[in-house]
C-alpha cells in the first residue's frame, strides 16, 4: 500500500494514468486518506460533477492484512448531495483486494471529453483502462455478472448502476461481497454520481498472486489479532446478537423506545414493526433456505450480513440492513418484508442509497404522490428512478429536492442529506450528530444510539439534552479514527465495553506499522480528520447555521414521549471546541 | 394487577414474544426477571412504557415492560 493510482479522465486523447508514491499522504488510510486528498486537492467551490472534483477510493490502514474486520473501503469527494466534503464507506471485498495490490488510494480526476464509458482493470501486472460502451445503463448485478465472464470469479468490483450514470444525487458506489454480489455500498452523499461524472462504470480488481501485507512484527501482530477476535466473540453484541439477527434487530428496540420515525417522522412508533423486525426476518430467511449469518468480506468474524430468499427459495437480496428496512418500511408505513427486500435489491442494482431513496419516497407519500403503506407503489417509484423518468429523477435527487418539488414542509434532512432511522427528538444525542457532522445527517458519524438506547459505553438519557454534545463529540472523534483504520465500525461495541479488546486494536496497528500509538494518539487522529473536514466545509461556504436540524424538530413534539429537540444552538456550536 | 411483558431476540427462546401477567402490587422488574428465569445480565435493556428502566424499577397496573438482551447494530 505504498502507491497511489491517479487517473486523469479528462486528458487529451483519453484517460491517462499515473502511479505515484504516497508522498505527503504517507501514513494515512481510509477516511483520513480520502478527506486529506479532497481537502488538499479539490477547490471547495467547485461543482461536484465538474472536472475539478475528484473521487478518492482508499482502503484502511489495516486493510489487506491478516487483521480481522479490516475490510472497509472509504470513498471521498465533494458531495453532489450536500455540497460539502463526503466520506462514505463500504464493506465487501474491494478494500482487502485493493490493499493487497499495493494501492493506498485510487484518485479519479478531470472531466471526460466524450461520452465514452470506461472500465478499469487492476491486477498484479498493472492497470488497464478501456472504453466499453456496451456497459451503458447496465444494472450492478448484470454488470458484475458480465465482468465475471470476462475476468473470472476471483475478482472484486467497485461499480455504479444507472443512477450513477444519470448523476443522481442519491447514487451509490457498489462493492461486491465474497460471492460477487454488488450488495455492499458506499451509499451516502451521491458518490456514485461523481464516479458517473468521471465516466467510470466499474473498477475490476484481481489480487491473484498477491500476498497479505506483511506486518513489521509478525508475532506480535498475530498475538494481537487473536486477542481482538476473542474479544469480538466474547462480547454479546458482536459475538451473538449481530450474527443471529443482523442490524435489523434494532427495529423492535427503537420502536419500543418510541424513537422509530414512522410515516415521515410523524410519530415514534409503528404498528407494523414486529412484521419487519430482525427476529421475524431472521426466522423467515432460515425457513426459506438462506439465513441471517454471512460475512460481507473475508476476515469478518462478526458476520452481521445475511441472505434473503423469496418464497420460492430463490435469491431476492442480501439481508436488508436496519436503516433500509426503516426507510422503505416504517418511514413509508410499509410492513411487508418481501416488498422491502425487493426494494433493497432494486436500490442495489440501480446503485442507490437505500436511506436517501426510502426517505424521498416517504416525503413523496406525505405529499400524496402515492399512499403510505402502498408497497407496490413504492416498488414502482424505485423502478421509475432506475428508468430515469422525470418523476424518477426527482426522487433520485434525494429527499430535500423531492420535498421542494412537491411542496412538503417537513423534510428530514441536514445539509441536504436524509436522516436515517432514529428520531432526534426521542434520541437527543443522535440529533446532535445529525446536526453537526460534516457529512450531513449520518447516524454512523457518531452513533449515540449505542449509549442513549443500547447502554453500550455507559448510559446517557436519550430524552434529555444534558450530556449529548459531549457524547456525540467523543463518538464522532472515535469514529473518524476507526474509519481511517479500515475496521468495521461494529467493533466499537466490543472496544467501548472491553479495555483489552481496545488495547488489541492498538496493538494491531502498532505491531503492523512499528508504531507506539496510545488511546490519545487515536483520538488525535480522529480530531485531525474532523478538523480537515470542517475546514473544507467552511471554505465551501458552510456556517454554524448549517449545523441545525429542520425547524419542525424544534416545534413539533413527537409521540409517545411528546418531546422536541432541546439541545441549544450554542451547545451544538461548542461540539468541535475540544 | 395486569402487566404486559414483551421479550425480544434470544430471550424469546423457550419463552414467549408477548404475554399478559397478573402480579401483586409492588412488583419490580427484578421480580419479573426472576420469575422468567432471566438473569439481570441477560436483561441488558429494559423499557417500561418506552422509558429506560432497571431491575429495581416498580411497575403499576397496565404497564408495558419490554426486555432485550444486549443488542446492537447501526
Amino acid at each position: 500500500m505504498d502507491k497511489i493510482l491517479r487517473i486523469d479522465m479528462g486528458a487529451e486523447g483519453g484517460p491517462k494514468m499515473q502511479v505515484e508514491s504516497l508522498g505527503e499522504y504517507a501514513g494515512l488510510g481510509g477516511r483520513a486518506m480520502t478527506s486529506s486528498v479532497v481537502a488538499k486537492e479539490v477547490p471547495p467551490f467547485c461543482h461536484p460533477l465538474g472536472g475539478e472534483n475528484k473521487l478518492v477510493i482508499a482502503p484502511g490502514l489495516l486493510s489487506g492484512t491478516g487483521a480481522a474486520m479490516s475490510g472497509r473501503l472509504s470513498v471521498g469527494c465533494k458531495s453532489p448531495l450536500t455540497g460539502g466534503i463526503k466520506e462514505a464507506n463500504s464493506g465487501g471485498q474491494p478494500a482487502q483486494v485493493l490493499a493487497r495490490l499495493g494501492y493506498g488510494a485510487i484518485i479519479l480526476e478531470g472531466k471526460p471529453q466524450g461520452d465514452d464509458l470506461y472500465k478499469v482493470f487492476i491486477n498484479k501486472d498493472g492497470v488497464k483502462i478501456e472504453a466499453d460502451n456496451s456497459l451503458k445503463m447496465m444494472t450492478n448485478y448484470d454488470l458484475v455478472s458480465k465482468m465475471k465472464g470476462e475476468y473470472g470469479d476471483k475478482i472484486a468490483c467497485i461499480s455504479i448502476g444507472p443512477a450513477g450514470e444519470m448523476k443522481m444525487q442519491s447514487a451509490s458506489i457498489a462493492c461486491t461481497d465474497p460471492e460477487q454480489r454488488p450488495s455492499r455500498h458506499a451509499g451516502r452523499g451521491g458518490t456514485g454520481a461523481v464516479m458517473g461524472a468521471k465516466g467510470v462504470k466499474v473498477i475490476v480488481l484481481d489480487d491473484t498472486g498477491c500476498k497479505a501485507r506483511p506486518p513489521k512484527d509478525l508475532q506480535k501482530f498475530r498475538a494481537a489479532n487473536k486477542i481482538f477476535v476473542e474479544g469480538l466473540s466474547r462480547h454479546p453484541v458482536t459475538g451473538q446478537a449481530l450474527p443471529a439477527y443482523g442490524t435489523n434487530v434494532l427495529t423492535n428496540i427503537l420502536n419500543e423506545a418510541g424513537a422509530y420515525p414512522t410515516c415521515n417522522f410523524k410519530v415514534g412508533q409503528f404498528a407494523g414493526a414486529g412484521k419487519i423486525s430482525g427476529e421475524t426476518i431472521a426466522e423467515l430467511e432460515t425457513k426459506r433456505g438462506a439465513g441471517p449469518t454471512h460475512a460481507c468480506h473475508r476476515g469478518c468474524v462478526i458476520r452481521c450480513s445475511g441472505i434473503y430468499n423469496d418464497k420460492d427459495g430463490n435469491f431476492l437480496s442480501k439481508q436488508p440492513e436496519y436503516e433500509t428496512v426503516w426507510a422503505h418500511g416504517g418511514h413509508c408505513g410499509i410492513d411487508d418484508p418481501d416488498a422491502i427486500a425487493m426494494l433493497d435489491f432494486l436500490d442495489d442494482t440501480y446503485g442507490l442509497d437505500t436511506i436517501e431513496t426510502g426517505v424521498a419516497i416517504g416525503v413523496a407519500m406525505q405529499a400524496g404522490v402515492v399512499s403510505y403503506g402502498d408497497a407496490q407503489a413504492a416498488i414502482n417509484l424505485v423502478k421509475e428512478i432506475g428508468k430515469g423518468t422525470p418523476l424518477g429523477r426527482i426522487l433520485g435527487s434525494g429527499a430535500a429536492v423531492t420535498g421542494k418539488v412537491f411542496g412538503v414542509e417537513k423534510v428530514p434532512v441536514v445539509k441536504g442529506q436524509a436522516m436515517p432511522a432514529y428520531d432526534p427528538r426521542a434520541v437527543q444525542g443522535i440529533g446532535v450528530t445529525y446536526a453537526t457532522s460534516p457529512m450531513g445527517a449520518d447516524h454512523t458519524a457518531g452513533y449515540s444510539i449505542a449509549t442513549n438506547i443500547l447502554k453500550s459505553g455507559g448510559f446517557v438519557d436519550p430524552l434529555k439534552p444534558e450530556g449529548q454534545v459531549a457524547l456525540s463529540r467523543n463518538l464522532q472523534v472515535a469514529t473518524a479514527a476507526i474509519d481511517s483504520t479500515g475496521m468495521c465500525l461494529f467493533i466499537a461495541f466490543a472496544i467501548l465495553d472491553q479495555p483489552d479488546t481496545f488495547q488489541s486494536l492498538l496493538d494491531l496497528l502498532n505491531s503492523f506499522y512499528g508504531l507506539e500509538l496510545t488511546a490519545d494518539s487515536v483520538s488525535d487522529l480522529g480530531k485531525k480528520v474532523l478538523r480537515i473536514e470542517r475546514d473544507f466545509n467552511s471554505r465551501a461556504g458552510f456556517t454554524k447555521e448549517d449545523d441545525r436540524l429542520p425547524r419542525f424538530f424544534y416545534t413539533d413534539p413527537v409521540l409517545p414521549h411528546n418531546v422536541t429537540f432541546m439541545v441549544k444552538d450554542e451547545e451544538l456550536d461548542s461540539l468541535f471546541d475540544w | 394487577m395486569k402487566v404486559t411483558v414483551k421479550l425480544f431476540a434470544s430471550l424469546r427462546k423457550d419463552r414467549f414474544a408477548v404475554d399478559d401477567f397478573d402480579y401483586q402490587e409492588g412488583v419490580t422488574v427484578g421480580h419479573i426477571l426472576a420469575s422468567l428465569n432471566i438473569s439481570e445480565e441477560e436483561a441488558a435493556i429494559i423499557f417500561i412504557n418506552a422509558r429506560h428502566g432497571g431491575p429495581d424499577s416498580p411497575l403499576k397496573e397496565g404497564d408495558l415492560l419490554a426486555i432485550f438482551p444486549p443488542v446492537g447494530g447501526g
Side-chain angles (χ1 to χ4, degrees):
Chain A
M1 237 170 72
D2 55 355
K3 58 192 174 188
I4 288 175
L5 169 63
R6 211 178 264 276
I7 306 178
D8 179 1
M9 296 304 298
E12 284 291 328
K16 196 175 157 196
M17 60 194 159
Q18 182 179 323
V19 175
E20 54 194 39
S21 70
L22 293 174
E24 64 185 296
Y25 303 123
L28 302 177
R31 179 170 167 186
M33 173 67 88
T34 62
S35 288
S36 296
V37 174
V38 172
K40 165 101 180 153
E41 300 188 15
V42 174
F45 278 109
C46 77
H47 194 286
L49 303 178
E52 290 177 313
N53 200 5
K54 301 192 182 195
L55 187 76
V56 188
I57 300 171
L61 287 170
L62 289 169
S63 302
T65 74
M69 310 306 306
S70 59
R72 298 298 291 192
L73 185 77
S74 288
V75 178
C77 58
K78 174 171 171 168
S79 165
L81 185 73
T82 68
I85 198 165
K86 175 55 61 181
E87 186 264 357
N89 66 61
S90 174
Q93 284 293 97
Q96 306 285 32
V97 176
L98 189 58
R100 282 172 199 233
L101 284 162
Y103 296 94
I106 299 174
I107 304 175
L108 302 179
E109 51 192 39
K111 189 174 181 65
Q113 297 184 341
D115 290 332
D116 284 336
L117 192 60
Y118 287 87
K119 64 183 174 194
V120 179
F121 176 69
I122 307 174
N123 69 1
K124 66 176 173 33
D125 301 321
V127 184
K128 278 184 203 153
I129 176 162
E130 56 183 313
D132 186 347
N133 291 318
S134 74
L135 307 180
K136 280 191 177 177
M137 294 303 275
M138 201 173 258
T139 61
N140 278 315
Y141 272 85
D142 288 349
L143 172 74
V144 170
S145 168
K146 188 161 194 285
M147 293 302 104
K148 273 166 74 179
E150 287 180 30
Y151 298 105
D153 61 4
K154 303 276 185 254
I155 55 168
C157 295
I158 302 169
S159 65
I160 55 170
E165 286 186 63
M166 291 187 277
K167 304 178 194 73
M168 289 176 172
Q169 292 178 45
S170 56
S172 63
I173 291 178
C175 293
T176 48
D177 74 359
E179 294 81 28
Q180 279 92 25
R181 300 180 198 97
S183 58
R184 318 310 310 181
H185 288 241
R188 311 238 57 199
T191 57
V194 178
M195 191 159 159
K198 299 301 176 205
V200 176
K201 178 74 175 173
V202 58
I203 299 170
V204 182
L205 306 165
D206 183 351
D207 66 353
T208 304
C210 299
K211 290 185 179 145
R213 294 169 58 211
K216 279 244 161 85
D217 187 330
L218 181 62
Q219 219 168 359
K220 277 191 184 156
F221 184 78
R222 279 187 177 152
N225 196 42
K226 199 175 162 193
I227 297 169
F228 184 61
V229 170
E230 184 278 320
L232 294 170
S233 310
R234 178 182 6 127
H235 194 277
V237 172
T238 47
Q240 293 160 34
L242 279 169
Y245 302 102
T247 57
N248 193 28
V249 74
L250 293 171
T251 293
N252 275 329
I253 194 160
L254 269 299
N255 196 53
E256 290 301 324
Y260 187 82
T262 302
C263 296
N264 195 28
F265 290 78
K266 197 170 174 213
V267 291
Q269 285 180 319
F270 178 44
K275 290 190 195 165
I276 56 173
S277 67
E279 288 90 334
T280 303
I281 287 182
E283 197 182 321
L284 192 63
E285 286 170 345
T286 306
K287 202 172 90 187
R288 290 178 175 179
T293 312
H294 174 264
C296 83
H297 68 272
R298 278 196 288 275
C300 167
V301 297
I302 298 178
R303 297 165 300 149
C304 73
S305 176
I307 303 297
Y308 191 107
N309 285 348
D310 65 17
K311 60 179 168 41
D312 300 320
N314 300 313
F315 176 81
L316 179 52
S317 197
K318 99 280 192 182
Q319 171 176 282
E321 302 298 339
Y322 166 61
E323 288 74 15
T324 304
V325 174
W326 165 78
H328 283 306
H331 174 66
C332 293
I334 291 171
D335 62 6
D336 173 358
D338 285 348
I340 291 167
M342 172 58 86
L343 288 159
D344 182 71
F345 174 78
L346 291 173
D347 288 343
D348 282 356
T349 206
Y350 295 144
L352 289 164
D353 175 16
T354 59
I355 297 174
E356 198 66 44
T357 304
V359 174
I361 291 172
V363 168
M365 285 175 165
Q366 165 127 22
V369 176
V370 299
S371 302
Y372 282 120
D374 189 341
Q376 191 53 52
I379 289 169
N380 292 342
L381 288 179
V382 175
K383 287 182 177 170
E384 298 240 7
I385 302 176
K387 285 185 213 148
T389 65
L391 175 57
R393 283 181 183 262
I394 291 167
L395 295 166
S397 301
V401 167
T402 300
K404 280 183 183 165
V405 170
F406 291 105
V408 177
E409 179 202 342
K410 292 167 191 171
V411 182
V413 299
V414 178
K415 299 181 178 69
Q417 180 167 290
M419 271 179 206
Y422 313 88
D423 197 303
R425 292 163 290 192
V427 194
Q428 305 259 319
I430 205 69
V432 175
T433 298
Y434 291 163
T436 58
S437 167
M439 299 298 146
D442 178 344
H443 62 296
T444 66
Y447 193 63
S448 88
I449 307 305
T451 309
N452 282 151
I453 299 290
L454 307 171
K455 293 194 166 177
S456 191
F459 177 64
V460 175
D461 189 335
L463 298 169
K464 294 182 178 151
E466 290 82 23
Q468 309 295 356
V469 167
L471 173 64
S472 176
R473 175 192 299 129
N474 292 339
L475 289 166
Q476 289 196 53
V477 168
T479 302
I482 292 175
D483 285 346
S484 303
T485 63
M487 284 287 168
C488 171
L489 194 52
F490 291 165
I491 68 166
F493 291 104
I495 65 175
L496 279 172
D497 288 340
Q498 299 170 179
D500 62 324
T501 312
F502 180 66
Q503 185 57 46
S504 69
L505 173 65
L506 293 179
D507 292 343
L508 279 170
L509 286 160
N510 288 338
S511 58
F512 190 86
Y513 286 101
L515 298 170
E516 287 180 14
L517 298 175
T518 61
D520 283 347
S521 30
V522 171
S523 165
D524 289 344
L525 168 64
K527 288 175 183 168
K528 185 180 150 199
V529 171
L530 287 167
R531 260 197 303 270
I532 288 170
E533 293 170 347
R534 289 271 294 174
D535 178 61
F536 180 91
N537 281 358
S538 157
R539 288 185 285 126
F542 284 76
T543 67
K544 62 185 181 182
E545 279 71 33
D546 295 295
D547 289 346
R548 302 288 181 263
L549 301 184
R551 191 65 194 154
F552 75 96
F553 291 107
Y554 298 89
T555 56
D556 295 15
V558 68
L559 291 173
H561 294 297
N562 207 29
V563 280
T564 56
F565 183 67
M566 294 174 288
V567 180
K568 293 195 171 67
D569 291 351
E570 307 83 76
E571 288 182 75
L572 293 176
D573 296 339
S574 73
L575 191 132
F576 295 96
D577 301 337
W578 40 62
Chain B
M1 62 182 195
K2 196 197 87 171
V3 172
T4 301
V5 180
K6 285 172 133 180
L7 303 179
F8 294 94
S10 54
L11 297 180
R12 288 182 178 175
K13 195 164 178 278
D14 301 325
R15 295 194 189 92
F16 56 90
V18 57
D19 211 343
D20 291 338
F21 291 90
D22 259 323
Y23 295 110
Q24 291 197 330
E25 293 289 328
V27 72
T28 63
V29 172
H31 293 132
I32 296 178
L33 291 177
S35 74
L36 296 171
N37 198 23
I38 296 171
S39 70
E40 290 187 11
E41 200 180 26
E42 281 179 289
I45 308 155
I46 294 162
F47 292 106
I48 302 162
N49 305 326
R51 285 179 182 269
H52 282 278
D56 298 334
S57 303
L59 292 156
K60 58 181 190 319
E61 168 71 24
D63 275 349
L64 172 61
L65 172 66
I67 309 169
F68 292 80
V71 292

